[in-house]
Every structure is written in structure tokens, then in C-alpha cells.
């Protein structure tokens, strides 16, 4: 997984020379203390680095230029300790390409009632200094996150932490390479899309590779590498008896391990962090990659089935956001409904490729017929997903824009065991209810593929949409169908004018 501790967010403070040398020294001292406190917070996974006190337009421009050029800098936090005339920020903000968070805070938490004087007032002007900066940012249509509150408050730290994780995912997206093995599933609409528009919007690139190149890589895997991977299977999972050594399906387990190793080597050699495949093009492979995809996702790779590169990219980005958090993120599909009025629910699954990071317990390594794709029976991990709060997210190409659609859910244990369902799965209750959620999802044009998350809240995806400059539609406990219809109509008008 991504090591977020190596990444930096630059903390900068705006002021001006009007206040004099002594006041500016106090502003710088306060700024360093705030930045150091944020950097010490265990909630914030990246380094917060005090970079500069900015008092002129030239200083601001150079800072923004340096931030753009820095590989380690993933974003900037601005704080207006005093009044910083916003025209100074115009040229800097015009060129800034890194995510921006406006921290609207002040050094003191409380008003010092008995000692407050004009010196204190002149020093502590965040209340209107931040509004000046906010006006200019809004007029320039700068995408940013605004966090309001004292810098020591827990909720402020939480919101900054979310944004830093999203900024890390955005930085990762600028270098993301997605390998597309085979093409799109035939005749399917939603997994298609404009790859050039996506690269312009999100930074990642999507390129196709023939199955022959992957098959050659798989063919070169050594017996020793296969043996070591199979040892890992037996240590990590409950392995079905027919897959054990000297049993009739052990060769299938070796084939699965060989595919996993070859696929990983191909991705590593090309610096890919996400990939797709399709069961309609498995030329050179003996079985559809099942356990291989599942284990690669658990390592942090993004994945989309049937050529779905948009979901592969989203899975990767959400895994970067959640790096180090308990719980998991996985490629997912709404597979079948439970319309029982006493417990309406959705069974999420796929043919094989659900990430074990969301498993409730130790997965079982099994082999079963697939019934699709025309290849040998594939090996896969079978498990139930863990119960708890979650969400599904889908990236959709609407033609003139991208829409990020999310639905909050609550995962629940299955009512009964599922002895004849040989795939990983998770059962959830959609918010606000199954009928409304499904109705809203369809009206919004949502895909059947999603990224299911156990550890991300809607705020992460809202921040991502803000940084990316794309539409976000949310289905949750407050969703009303008529209101959603109006929102979608208004959004359509908005995106035809910007």
C-alpha cells in the first residue's frame, strides 16, 4: 500500500507588511506552532510542513510555482492569520495545480476578556482576513476545501485528515497507469467512456495490452515462485482439500498461482497501479484470474472487470485514501436483491473478484465451475464481508462531464449460510431504503460496478470531486426522489454552461 508518511502538505500563512516587523514575527511564530501541532497529530497521515509567511504577491507566486514543481508536495493549507489583501493571491492561485485547503482558524481559542486590546485585535484578524481570501477564491472559482474551527479541535483535525488522504489519492492519480487486458465486455455501455477526457480530468492514463504479452509473462514464471506462492495460500487461507498437494485439482491451484505471479510481474514492470480484464478475452490463460485479482487488490491495486477502467481507477484512488485505516475497499457489483419487506437488502458480489480486505473472517481458497468464459475452473477466495457502515461509489462518464455517484449503506450478516454460492459476497441495506436507493441510482445513471468501502465516509468522495472539478451526487438517508430529480436537472444545466 501507499506510504503516506513520505508525502508533504505545505502550510502557508498570509499577512502583509502593514503590521510591522514585530507583529509579523508573532504571526510566523504562531504559524509554526500550528503547523507543528498538525504535524504531530496521529490523525493526519502525511507530513505538515510550515513553508512560509507570505506578505507579497511575488512571494505567493513563487510559493505556488514551487508547490507545483515539488514531487512530495500534495497540497497547500492556507491560513490568513491577519488581513492578507487578496489581490496579492491572484497570480499565485492562477497557476496553482495542487489541491488547496483553506483553514479558517485563529491562534487563540477564546477571547481574553480582561486583557484584550487593539494590539491583540490587530494581530488576530483571521475572522475577516479569511473572508477576504474566501471572496477572492470564490470569484476565481478556485476548487478548495474550507475547514472552520480552532486548530486543536478534534473535528477540525478529522476534516484536515480526510482532505490530506484525498490529496494523496489525487497525487497518485496524476501518475496512475492502468493496464487494460483485452477490451470492453461486448455491447456494454457503462464500462466504456472517453479515456482522453479522463486523463485530462483525473491525470491517469489507460492503455490496452494484448493477452499474448501477459501470457508470455505468465509462462516464464518459475516452479520455485509457484511453490512459494502456494505456501502463502496455505498460511493465509483455509484451502479446499481437492487443491492440496497430490489431490486432483492441485494443478489448478498451481495455475492460479502462476497467473498471479505473472500478472504481478507485468504490472510491476510497467509501473501500473490498476488493471482490468474480461472473461471474453482470455487467450493464453487457462482460467479466469480469480485469486490473483483478489490478492492484487488486497495489496493496493485498482481493478475493474470486463474492461471497466473507470472503476479500476476509482478502486485504486479509494485504496490510497484509506491507506493504513482499518477495513477495506473492493471492486463490487450489486448482484441480486432481497425484496423481503422485513429485511430488504442487496447481495453484492461478482464472478470471482472481491477483495479479501473486506472479509469478516479467514477466507476459504476454493475451486468451482464458473459457467462463463469457456475456460478451466478458476480458483478463488470465498468469504462473507464484514458487517458495518459502508458506501458504494461509481464513476460515470456522462458525455459532457464525469459524475461521481455514492450511496451510503449498512452491511449486515446474511440471514442464513450460503453453502452453494462459491464466491465472495457481502449483504447490505441501502440508504434510505432499497426501493428509493435503487430508483435514485438508476435515475442518476449509475453503473452496475462500484467500489465498496468499509472505511471511507462520503466526505472523502466529496473532497475528491471538489479537487477533480466533477459532479457529485449522493444517495443517503435524506434522499427524496423528487428532490433528486430536480438536483440532476439543475446539474445538467450547470454543466452545460461552465
Amino acid at each position: 500500500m501507499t506510504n503516506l508518511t513520505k508525502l508533504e502538505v505545505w502550510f502557508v500563512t498570509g499577512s502583509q507588511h502593514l503590521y510591522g516587523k514585530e507583529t509579523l514575527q508573532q504571526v510566523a511564530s504562531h504559524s509554526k506552532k500550528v503547523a507543528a501541532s498538525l504535524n504531530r497529530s496521529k490523525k493526519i497521515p502525511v507530513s505538515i510542513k510550515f513553508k512560509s509567511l507570505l506578505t507579497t504577491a511575488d512571494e505567493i507566486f513563487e510559493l505556488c510555482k514551487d508547490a507545483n514543481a515539488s514531487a512530495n508536495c500534495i497540497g497547500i493549507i492556507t491560513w490568513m492569520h491577519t488581513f492578507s489583501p487578496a489581490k496579492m493571491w491572484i497570480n499565485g492561485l492562477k497557476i496553482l495545480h495542487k489541491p488547496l485547503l483553506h483553514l479558517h482558524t485563529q491562534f487563540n481559542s477564546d477571547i481574553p476578556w480582561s486583557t484584550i486590546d487593539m494590539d491583540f485585535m490587530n494581530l488576530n484578524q483571521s475572522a475577516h482576513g479569511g473572508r477576504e481570501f474566501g471572496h477572492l477564491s470564490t470569484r476565481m472559482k478556485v476548487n478548495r476545501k474550507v475547514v472552520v474551527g480552532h486548530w486543536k479541535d478534534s473535528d477540525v483535525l478529522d476534516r484536515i485528515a480526510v482532505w490530506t488522504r484525498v490529496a494523496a489519492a489525487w497525487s497518485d492519480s496524476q501518475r496512475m497507469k492502468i493496464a487494460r487486458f483485452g477490451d470492453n465486455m461486448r455491447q456494454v455501455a457503462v464500462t466504456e467512456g472517453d479515456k482522453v477526457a479522463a486523463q485530462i480530468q483525473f491525470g491517469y492514463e489507460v492503455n490496452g495490452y494484448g493477452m499474448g504479452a501477459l501470457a508470455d509473462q505468465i509462462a516464464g514464471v518459475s516452479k520455485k515462485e509457484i511453490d512459494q506462492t502456494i505456501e502463502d495460500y496455505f498460511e493465509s487461507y483455509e484451502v479446499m482439500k481437492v487443491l492440496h498437494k497430490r489431490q486432483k485439482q492441485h494443478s489448478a491451484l498451481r495455475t492460479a498461482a502462476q497467473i498471479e505471479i505473472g500478472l504481478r510481474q507485468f504490472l510491476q514492470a510497467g509501473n501500473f497501479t490498476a488493471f482490468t480484464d474480461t472473461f471474453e478475452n482470455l487467450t493464453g490463460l487457462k482460467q479466469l484470474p480469480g485469486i490473483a485479482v483478489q490478492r492484487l487488490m488486497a495489496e493496493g491495486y485498482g481493478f475493474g472487470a470486463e474492461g471497466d477502467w473507470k472503476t479500476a481507477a476509482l478502486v485504486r484512488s479509494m485504496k490510497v485514501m484509506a491507506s493504513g485505516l482499518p477495513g477495506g475497499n473492493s471492486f463490487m457489483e450489486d448482484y441480486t436483491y432481497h425484496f423481503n419487506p422485513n429485511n430488504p437488502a442487496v447481495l453484492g458480489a461478482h464472478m470471482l473478484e472481491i477483495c479479501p480486505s473486506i472479509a469478516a473472517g479467514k477466507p476459504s481458497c476454493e475451486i468451482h465451475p464458473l459457467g462463463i468464459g469457456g475456460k478451466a475452473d478458476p480458483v478463488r477466495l470465498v468469504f462473507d464481508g464484514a458487517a458495518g457502515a459502508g458506501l458504494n461509489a461509481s464513476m460515470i462518464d456522462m458525455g459532457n462531464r464525469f459524475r461521481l455517484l455514492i450511496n451510503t449503506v449498512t452491511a449486515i450478516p446474511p440471514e442464513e449460510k450460503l453453502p452453494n454460492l462459491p464466491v465472495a459476497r457481502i449483504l447490505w441495506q441501502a440508504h434510505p431504503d432499497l426501493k428509493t436507493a435503487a430508483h435514485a441510482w438508476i435515475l442518476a445513471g449509475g453503473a452496475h460496478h462500484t467500489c465498496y468501502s468499509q472505511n471511507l465516509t462520503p466526505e472523502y468522495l466529496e473532497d475528491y470531486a471538489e479537487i477533480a472539478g466533477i459532479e457529485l451526487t449522493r444517495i443517503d438517508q435524506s434522499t427524496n426522489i423528487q428532490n433528486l430529480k430536480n438536483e440532476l436537472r439543475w446539474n445538467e444545466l450547470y454543466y452545460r454552461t461552465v
Side-chain angles (χ1 to χ4, degrees):
M1 292 297 291
T2 304
N3 183 0
L4 302 184
T5 61
K6 296 181 178 180
L7 305 176
E8 296 177 354
V9 167
W10 289 1
F11 188 96
V12 300
T13 303
S15 188
Q16 59 178 323
H17 285 291
L18 174 68
Y19 301 106
K21 184 177 180 180
E22 182 179 344
T23 297
L24 290 180
Q25 287 176 341
Q26 287 181 282
V27 170
S29 175
H30 289 175
S31 300
K32 291 175 182 177
K33 289 178 180 178
V34 173
S37 179
L38 296 179
N39 189 53
R40 289 193 300 269
S41 172
K42 294 182 180 180
K43 294 183 177 183
I44 298 174
V46 305
S47 296
I48 306 295
K49 183 178 181 181
F50 176 70
K51 194 64 178 177
S52 186
L53 172 62
L54 304 172
T55 57
T56 69
D58 288 341
E59 290 173 352
I60 293 168
F61 182 85
E62 291 300 317
L63 183 283
C64 292
K65 186 174 68 174
D66 291 346
N68 288 339
S70 172
N72 288 335
C73 176
I74 61 170
I76 292 177
I77 296 176
T78 59
W79 174 35
M80 303 303 117
H81 188 312
T82 59
F83 194 80
S84 178
K87 287 171 64 177
M88 295 193 307
W89 289 85
I90 291 175
N91 287 337
L93 292 179
K94 281 170 63 176
I95 68 165
L96 182 64
H97 299 310
K98 297 294 175 77
L100 176 66
L101 184 147
H102 177 188
L103 178 58
H104 191 51
T105 190
Q106 62 187 26
F107 188 72
N108 58 297
S109 174
D110 302 331
I111 294 174
W113 304 107
S114 62
T115 61
I116 188 169
D117 55 18
M118 284 310 301
D119 287 340
F120 182 94
M121 295 282 275
N122 286 331
L123 175 63
N124 297 282
Q125 298 188 57
S126 300
H128 75 293
R131 292 168 195 264
E132 167 78 354
F133 182 77
H135 161 74
L136 191 279
S137 300
T138 296
R139 182 166 178 177
M140 291 182 66
K141 298 180 174 61
V142 175
N143 293 342
R144 79 279 192 195
K145 180 170 187 171
V146 179
V147 177
V148 180
H150 193 255
W151 48 279
K152 288 185 177 180
D153 289 350
S154 179
D155 66 307
V156 168
L157 294 173
D158 287 339
R159 298 199 66 211
I160 293 173
V162 167
W163 177 83
T164 62
R165 288 180 171 278
V166 176
W170 182 253
S171 178
D172 179 81
S173 183
Q174 307 315 297
R175 301 181 300 277
M176 190 190 306
K177 294 173 63 179
I178 303 171
R180 202 172 188 225
F181 298 112
D183 202 347
N184 195 60
M185 182 179 173
R186 299 189 206 38
Q187 307 300 324
V188 177
V190 76
T191 51
E192 288 282 18
D194 189 334
K195 303 183 191 71
V196 175
Q199 187 165 350
I200 294 170
Q201 192 85 50
F202 304 107
Y204 59 72
E205 61 178 86
V206 185
N207 291 300
Y209 295 87
M211 292 301 297
L214 177 58
D216 288 345
Q217 183 74 54
I218 292 169
V221 173
S222 69
K223 178 180 180 297
K224 181 179 179 181
E225 291 171 315
I226 295 172
D227 290 341
Q228 290 173 340
T229 299
I230 288 178
E231 285 182 17
D232 190 18
Y233 291 170
F234 277 88
E235 290 177 4
S236 303
Y237 318 115
E238 300 291 345
V239 180
M240 199 176 192
K241 188 172 182 180
V242 295
L243 295 172
H244 285 224
K245 196 171 183 179
R246 290 186 289 275
Q247 298 297 316
K248 63 179 181 179
Q249 292 282 32
H250 184 68
S251 62
L253 187 67
R254 297 189 66 82
T255 296
Q258 184 178 6
I259 292 172
E260 176 188 331
I261 298 161
L263 180 52
R264 183 183 291 103
Q265 290 173 346
F266 189 101
L267 296 174
Q268 290 175 340
N271 292 318
F272 299 104
T273 53
F275 66 102
T276 73
D277 64 16
T278 173
F279 67 88
E280 289 186 320
N281 187 352
L282 296 173
T283 303
L285 273 63
K286 294 181 180 180
Q287 56 181 258
L288 175 66
I291 191 172
V293 172
Q294 293 176 293
R295 281 166 56 87
L296 285 166
M297 263 197 291
E299 292 173 16
Y301 286 92
F303 173 76
E306 289 97 51
D308 189 352
W309 51 270
K310 295 189 297 299
T311 301
L314 184 61
V315 170
R316 167 63 184 181
S317 291
M318 291 174 68
K319 282 184 173 290
V320 173
M321 294 178 204
S323 182
L325 296 177
N329 292 267
S330 176
F331 171 77
M332 188 59 66
E333 180 172 282
D334 291 53
Y335 224 95
T336 192
Y337 293 136
H338 186 57
F339 272 135
N340 187 307
N342 296 320
N343 184 29
V346 180
L347 184 64
H350 203 255
M351 292 185 294
L352 303 174
E353 309 97 339
I354 302 300
C355 181
S357 66
I358 69 168
K362 191 174 185 179
S364 174
C365 179
E366 302 182 9
I367 184 170
H368 302 276
L370 184 61
I372 195 169
K375 290 289 183 176
D377 298 346
V379 177
R380 80 293 302 265
L381 298 176
V382 178
F383 55 84
D384 289 320
L391 62 79
N392 278 301
S394 175
M395 186 68 74
I396 314 151
D397 187 342
M398 298 297 294
N400 66 331
R401 66 192 186 280
F402 290 92
R403 172 182 289 162
L404 181 55
L405 179 62
I406 60 176
N407 181 204
T408 58
V409 304
T410 301
I412 59 175
E415 292 183 6
E416 300 179 25
K417 292 188 180 298
L418 302 163
N420 296 314
L421 185 62
V423 294
R425 61 271 172 157
I426 185 167
L427 188 72
W428 66 75
Q429 296 170 326
H431 301 161
D433 58 76
L434 174 53
K435 290 183 179 180
T436 303
H439 188 172
W441 192 273
I442 289 168
L443 289 175
H448 58 281
H449 289 165
T450 64
C451 179
Y452 176 84
S453 178
Q454 295 172 325
N455 47 26
L456 301 180
T457 64
E459 185 177 3
Y460 289 85
L461 284 306
E462 291 164 4
D463 284 357
Y464 183 84
E466 186 70 33
I467 292 172
I470 63 171
E471 179 186 6
L472 181 130
T473 301
R474 178 170 170 173
I475 304 168
D476 56 21
Q477 293 287 12
S478 65
T479 295
N480 171 278
I481 292 297
Q482 187 57 53
N483 291 343
L484 179 75
K485 286 182 178 180
N486 289 335
E487 177 187 334
L488 295 175
R489 290 172 183 141
W490 298 332
N491 287 357
E492 185 66 33
L493 287 173
Y494 170 80
Y495 282 99
R496 290 189 182 278
T497 61
V498 294

